[in-house]
Amino acid sequence: QLLCSSAPLAWPAAAQALSWLATPEVGEARLVDHDGRARHLADLLQTPRPVAVSFFYTGCATVCPPQTALLMACCQQWKTRPALRELLMLTISVDPLNDGPSQLRAYGQRFGLPLGEAQGWLLLSGAPREVQRALTAFDVPARPDAHPALLWLGDPARGRWTRTSALNPPQLNGDLFEALR
């Protein structure tokens, strides 16, 4: 269920009545971050921190740049909220053939992203088969021209997740994230 940005202001209270999704089953998906460091996606999804997962590719000239800018604004706003202060943002490339660590790092620098696990944002790619595992778990097509502006929000400690539009205003997604937690 993708949620549009025209949802009424009372929507977050109603969200508490939603059925939450389980943690996506990513299996042994091994990805690589913007520094070339190997990452097991399952480990990243088992952190006690709140987790947001989005999808992009560095060669995108349409939705990915504004989506990234909006997610940066979301992260800045969310980190002012006590329940979301320790947020970990994971952004997974849908174009593993063209997005290696150097492309991911350059993209992150272009947008001034706070890259690194301690800073709260990891850009991820990897071998096509490994990325496919991750994309399948999050129900995202493995085609750069067909990926949705999808944002998964998770509370790994409770095993509760939901998904929404990455293009929603920061306040709306923040309220949904807090309702989830």
Side-chain angles (χ1 to χ4, degrees):
Q1 310 164 336
L2 291 181
L3 306 172
C4 69
S5 61
S6 62
L9 292 177
W11 180 82
Q16 294 176 16
L18 289 175
S19 295
W20 301 115
L21 301 171
T23 303
E25 292 290 332
V26 297
E28 293 294 318
R30 291 177 300 262
L31 303 178
V32 177
D33 71 15
H34 52 272
D35 286 328
R37 184 173 171 204
R39 302 289 189 146
H40 281 88
L41 186 54
D43 292 344
L44 295 171
L45 299 181
Q46 294 304 319
T47 178
R49 301 164 69 172
V51 176
V53 182
S54 63
F55 307 90
F56 83 125
Y57 68 104
T58 63
C60 181
T62 57
V63 74
C64 295
Q67 172 184 293
T68 300
L70 188 56
L71 288 173
M72 178 66 167
C74 284
C75 286
Q76 289 171 337
Q77 184 189 93
W78 295 346
K79 287 186 177 208
T80 66
R81 298 177 180 211
L84 303 176
R85 190 165 288 134
E86 298 299 319
L87 172 75
L88 178 60
M89 172 66 76
L90 305 175
T91 301
I92 302 172
S93 173
V94 297
D95 188 10
L97 295 177
N98 293 302
D99 286 346
S102 62
Q103 290 82 11
L104 297 175
R105 192 171 38 262
Y107 187 90
Q109 290 169 346
R110 183 172 128 206
F111 286 93
L113 302 180
L115 294 179
E117 195 166 351
Q119 291 74 26
W121 201 315
L122 296 176
L123 298 176
L124 302 164
S125 189
R129 182 176 174 186
E130 300 298 319
V131 170
Q132 179 63 52
R133 286 181 186 175
L135 299 178
T136 298
F138 287 100
D139 198 25
V140 172
R143 291 181 34 218
D145 63 339
H147 82 89
L150 186 62
L151 178 65
W152 282 71
L153 305 173
D155 181 348
R158 291 191 177 108
R160 291 172 26 159
W161 290 76
T162 192
R163 57 187 175 185
T164 188
S165 172
L167 301 175
N168 280 344
Q171 181 69 38
L172 180 65
N173 279 343
D175 291 347
L176 177 58
F177 218 157
E178 284 189 333
L180 173 75
R181 297 209 21 104

